[in-house]
Amino acid sequence: MKRASLLDLTRRRKKGQTVGIMKRRSMASQKQFVHDQHIVPQWHLRRFTDASGALWVYKQNLPVKESHPKGECWERDFYEYSVKGRSTSNCYEDWLGRIENDASRLVDKLLGSPAQIRPSEAVVWASYVASLFLRT
């Protein structure tokens, strides 16, 4: 079976059939469409919060402000676009979410003893790091 390309993943429906990621989406139709899409994953930002969960934001020429991971590093519909009437319909958000979830389970292990990770875990982490470059 041929692997789906990124272009295949963006296709919606073709004569009643679902293609690529959209097939998975139709099976889980109860999932809510995500509009506030983080450029830096929230779990990653949480690693920089203080004991109370506050994230201190520093911007040039502005006073320091207290915030939270949910309120930073996001844009509305950042990964959504349409080409010839076909929209991405959260397929990139879903794809990145799966990569982030897999990587978030490894971060404590990597910080503790990176020499102890299995090759499959190294692939998961490398995929996450690569996804950070693809985000913007």
Side-chain angles (χ1 to χ4, degrees), residues 33-52:
F33 193 88
V34 176
H35 287 286
D36 297 344
Q37 300 172 345
H38 280 79
I39 300 158
V40 177
Q42 288 183 65
W43 71 263
H44 198 122
L45 293 171
R46 279 188 208 103
R47 305 296 287 192
F48 297 92
T49 59
D50 64 18
S52 70

Side-chain angles (χ1 to χ4, degrees), residues 50 52-57 64-68 72:
D50 64 18
S52 70
L55 180 69
W56 294 93
V57 180
V64 175
K65 76 171 188 171
E66 181 180 355
S67 187
H68 292 90
E72 297 300 326

Side-chain angles (χ1 to χ4, degrees), residues 41-94:
Q42 288 183 65
W43 71 263
H44 198 122
L45 293 171
R46 279 188 208 103
R47 305 296 287 192
F48 297 92
T49 59
D50 64 18
S52 70
L55 180 69
W56 294 93
V57 180
Y58 299 86
K59 292 185 181 176
Q60 190 171 5
N61 300 322
L62 292 174
V64 175
K65 76 171 188 171
E66 181 180 355
S67 187
H68 292 90
K70 186 172 181 143
E72 297 300 326
C73 300
W74 68 272
E75 280 192 40
R76 183 150 182 93
D77 296 328
F78 186 75
Y79 301 111
E80 302 307 314
Y81 60 90
S82 293
V83 176
K84 294 184 180 179
R86 293 183 173 165
S87 69
T88 53
S89 298
N90 255 170
C91 72
Y92 291 112
E93 177 70 17
D94 293 344

Side-chain angles (χ1 to χ4, degrees), residues 11-29:
R11 292 188 195 147
R12 282 194 70 145
R13 295 179 185 267
K14 193 175 185 178
K15 295 188 179 180
Q17 297 176 335
T18 54
V19 181
I21 251 174
M22 298 316 296
K23 186 172 187 177
R24 266 192 225 136
R25 178 170 251 315
S26 66
M27 289 188 284
S29 59

